[in-house]
Amino acid sequence: MTTTNEKRKIRYAVVGLGWFAQQAALPAFTSADNSELVALVSDDPIKREELSKQYGIEHTYSYEDYEECLTSGLIDAVYIALPNHLHCEYTVRAANQVIHVLCEKPMAVTEQECDAMNRAANDNGIKLMIAYRLHLEPANLQAIEIVKSHQIGEARLFNSVFSQQVEQGNIRLREITGGGTLYDIGIYCINAARYLFQDEPTEVFAVAATKGEQRFSEVEEMSSVILRFPNERLATFTCSFGAAKVSNYQVVGTKGDIRVESAYTWQGDIKHYLTIDGETQERTFESHDQLAAEFTYFSDCILQNRDPEPSGIEGLNDVHIIEALYQSIETGQSVPVKTFERDQHPTSAHTIERPATEEKPELIHAASPGGNS
């Protein structure tokens, strides 16, 4: 995608300075030419002090001072990297001050919260984008084109495994903060099935399993899911917080299949294995800075007054599906879903590549769970 050469840069505050913000988001601004990091928001004074020095940021705020940040005149947009249960509040407050919002996924933890976020964005005329970085990532976008072009024939099924070990005490294992496998990593599998099929599921079924470890006292250890799509297509996946690190998906058609390894990663190479009529071709997509691409795209949407493709409706649809999946786990029954139609889908035209950063910042008061965000 061609991005603007406007001299103006969109000025960002990063809200929430956990491991992903520190490792992926803050360094990315050096490769996002139309974006500028100008403020940090955190309740940890050591994070504010150390990171402001590291990145030369003059303005830092506590959560209590968030409104002061929003009304300072210093920022145009916020990147919200807070725990899931805070996404709604901090998005709505920004929208009400006419500040654009790039919010990490999941958009929120309930449909009602997603509705409130979309309403605030619409009422205040701001851009709201949910941070589906893979909607700009070349390997995933090329997989979409392979499926759309019928190189593998008619796509019939999607299957995925996304697993990792999450240590006890990690916020992902707390129910009150919106943790759990489906909200945290299952959302990648749900979203991938939706963008690869370019469609919405009509019915869902799920089961959960937990072998009794203390770390899984509040959320499930793993979940397995079936999604029924129109034209009698099925998507299945299993996601786990208690298994070795795996991140892949496969789409199987009537003539062949496409398998993507390390499909959901935010750094490192991603590989395609395309098999047609028994012949397999391998392709490697080299690592690049996915967060820089995301900031570049969102800033361009603001500068050009375009609606971002991973919109609030995209975020709402995934949360609607996740809530239905937890309902299925509780009842043991399949659950019909009715999502909102979207007027945009990710395609290869959305591809943005920015050079991978070699920088690996030392984490300050943040422990990496060894996964994705």
Side-chain angles (χ1 to χ4, degrees):
M1 171 175 283
T2 302
T3 55
T4 181
N5 290 319
E6 290 277 355
K7 291 182 180 179
R8 185 189 164 207
K9 293 187 176 184
I10 298 300
R11 303 165 299 166
Y12 285 82
V14 171
V15 185
L17 299 175
W19 79 271
F20 189 72
Q22 289 188 39
Q23 283 208 334
L26 299 183
F29 282 95
T30 59
S31 297
D33 296 339
N34 59 1
S35 309
E36 182 181 8
L37 176 62
V38 299
L40 303 173
V41 183
S42 171
D43 253 5
D44 187 326
I46 295 176
K47 286 182 182 178
R48 295 199 302 268
E49 180 180 359
E50 295 288 328
L51 292 170
S52 64
K53 287 179 183 176
Q54 185 175 344
Y55 291 97
I57 305 304
E58 183 179 349
H59 306 283
T60 68
Y61 303 86
S62 67
Y63 295 141
E64 192 174 297
D65 296 329
Y66 184 52
E67 212 69 25
E68 181 184 338
C69 174
L70 296 173
T71 59
S72 65
L74 297 168
I75 66 169
D76 306 300
V78 291
Y79 168 64
I80 295 177
L82 292 164
N84 301 338
H85 71 299
L86 298 175
H87 288 183
C88 178
E89 176 192 345
Y90 280 76
T91 293
V92 170
R93 289 172 66 184
N96 286 342
Q97 297 299 339
V98 200
I99 298 295
H100 303 286
V101 178
L102 173 59
C103 180
E104 267 302 339
K105 58 201 170 303
M107 182 177 180
V109 293
T110 67
E111 288 183 66
Q112 289 75 17
E113 287 184 339
C114 295
D115 286 336
M117 294 162 75
N118 283 323
R119 193 161 52 247
N122 291 333
D123 289 350
N124 291 284
I126 62 108
K127 305 296 183 190
L128 170 60
M129 174 173 155
I130 311 305
Y132 290 101
R133 52 186 168 71
L134 298 181
H135 286 216
L136 305 167
E137 194 283 313
N140 280 274
L141 294 176
Q142 282 301 310
I144 292 172
E145 297 300 333
I146 287 168
V147 174
K148 282 175 61 179
S149 67
H150 292 88
Q151 290 183 54
I152 59 171
E154 180 191 354
R156 299 297 299 140
L157 65 95
F158 165 95
N159 184 52
S160 181
V161 174
F162 195 4
S163 58
Q164 60 193 52
Q165 289 287 356
V166 178
E167 295 181 0
Q168 186 165 342
N170 190 281
I171 196 170
R172 300 169 174 213
L173 302 177
R174 297 187 62 198
E175 183 178 14
I176 194 171
T177 57
T181 56
L182 293 176
Y183 279 110
D184 190 77
I185 56 178
I187 191 170
Y188 284 87
C189 309
I190 295 165
N191 201 257
R194 293 175 54 235
Y195 62 63
L196 288 159
F197 283 159
Q198 302 266 290
D199 215 337
E200 301 293 335
T202 57
E203 182 184 10
V204 304
F205 178 77
V207 295
T210 305
K211 64 179 178 181
E213 292 183 48
Q214 177 60 33
R215 58 177 164 155
F216 302 120
S217 60
E218 294 186 32
V219 303
E220 72 284 352
E221 177 190 347
M222 58 183 174
S223 307
S224 285
V225 168
I226 302 173
L227 308 174
R228 181 186 293 277
F229 280 81
N231 300 320
E232 291 298 297
R233 292 168 294 174
L234 294 177
T236 64
F237 68 84
T238 297
C239 52
S240 173
F241 281 160
K245 190 173 183 180
V246 174
S247 166
N248 61 45
Y249 64 69
Q250 183 179 30
V251 182
V252 181
T254 52
K255 295 180 181 177
D257 71 274
I258 173 73
R259 181 164 55 91
V260 183
E261 293 282 352
S262 299
Y264 308 121
T265 188
W266 64 274
Q267 60 179 357
D269 295 349
I270 301 177
K271 290 193 173 186
H272 275 196
Y273 299 90
L274 175 62
T275 302
I276 301 172
D277 295 330
E279 296 289 328
T280 301
Q281 296 178 333
E282 180 181 334
R283 180 179 178 186
T284 298
F285 294 79
E286 293 185 355
S287 180
H288 66 277
D289 195 324
Q290 296 181 19
L291 273 290
E294 199 166 54
F295 291 130
T296 299
Y297 174 76
F298 187 54
S299 295
D300 198 50
C301 287
I302 296 169
L303 292 166
Q304 299 294 329
N305 192 25
R306 289 201 302 261
D307 293 331
E309 180 275 313
S311 66
I313 297 301
E314 178 76 345
L316 169 63
N317 280 354
D318 274 342
V319 171
H320 172 69
I321 292 164
I322 290 170
E323 286 197 299
L325 288 169
Y326 278 117
Q327 181 185 340
S328 177
I329 289 171
E330 290 176 10
T331 63
Q333 304 292 321
S334 63
V335 177
V337 291
K338 185 172 178 57
T339 54
F340 288 91
E341 290 295 323
R342 294 172 297 146
D343 56 4
Q344 291 190 76
H345 293 273
T347 69
S348 58
H350 289 91
T351 302
I352 296 179
E353 295 188 59
R354 289 294 178 268
T357 177
E358 298 300 321
E359 183 180 2
K360 293 185 178 179
E362 182 180 344
L363 291 174
I364 299 167
H365 284 194
S368 170
N372 294 350
S373 180

